[in-house]
Amino acid sequence: LIFTVGSSVSLVADTDTVNEDATVTVANGATEDVLEDDTSASTVSHIGVASNSLTSISTSQEITGTYGTLTMYATGAYSYVADQTAADALTTGATADDVFYYKAAGATTTLTITVTGLGPLAANDTGAVNEDATVRNRNSFRNRCSWK
């Protein structure tokens, strides 16, 4: 006769970093895989941006955070793209965290992605001018800068 008394589940909060408009991808079994440092958890069952509002995962689930989009796989692998407007608004070198909650083996912890801003990107301005005239567009550069 064998009795099994509950196993000890221990989830470790995970972190990663990515630049604005870039992608970070973590493969199943990689050291950054969210399940690699957890005890007694073999499958991610739920994911969400709030601990009290998680969506179930069968194979994979895409979820939009404040700064980007996370695709979490039940295996613990994930991909994150810093593609939201809030990421574009980060100034050069500024950082912000996108926090996602995941559930495995009945316990819940977080995956925090730190997004680093690259600042405003230059854009070409165009204008037309007649010979011996002047073109002035004082707002062109100013409209693309966060320090207006």
Side-chain angles (χ1 to χ4, degrees):
L1 183 62
I2 299 173
F3 291 98
T4 303
V5 179
S7 64
S8 175
V9 175
S10 175
L11 301 183
V12 176
D14 296 281
T15 61
D16 213 329
T17 60
V18 67
N19 287 333
E20 163 193 343
D21 294 323
T23 301
V24 60
T25 301
V26 174
N28 181 26
T31 50
E32 297 89 6
D33 174 331
V34 297
L35 296 176
E36 284 300 306
D37 53 1
D38 298 335
T39 305
S40 299
S42 60
T43 304
V44 175
S45 62
H46 294 79
I47 187 76
V49 293
S51 61
N52 62 351
S53 179
L54 301 176
T55 302
S56 66
I57 298 174
S58 56
T59 304
S60 67
Q61 181 66 45
E62 184 176 284
I63 189 156
T64 302
T66 302
Y67 300 94
T69 306
L70 174 71
T71 302
M72 176 66 76
Y73 297 87
T75 61
Y78 64 90
S79 178
Y80 178 89
V81 183
D83 61 358
Q84 296 301 301
T85 303
D88 292 334
L90 292 172
T91 58
T92 303
T95 61
D97 292 337
D98 224 350
V99 180
F100 299 92
Y101 294 82
Y102 71 91
K103 188 174 190 176
T108 303
T109 192
T110 58
L111 167 61
T112 301
I113 308 286
T114 300
V115 180
T116 301
L118 300 177
L121 301 177
N124 292 328
D125 291 321
T126 60
V129 64
N130 291 327
E131 182 179 347
D132 297 325
T134 303
V135 171
R136 289 195 181 142
N137 187 352
R138 292 183 292 159
N139 293 324
S140 179
F141 178 72
R142 182 182 161 113
N143 287 339
R144 289 190 305 276
C145 295
S146 59
W147 49 264
K148 296 181 195 181

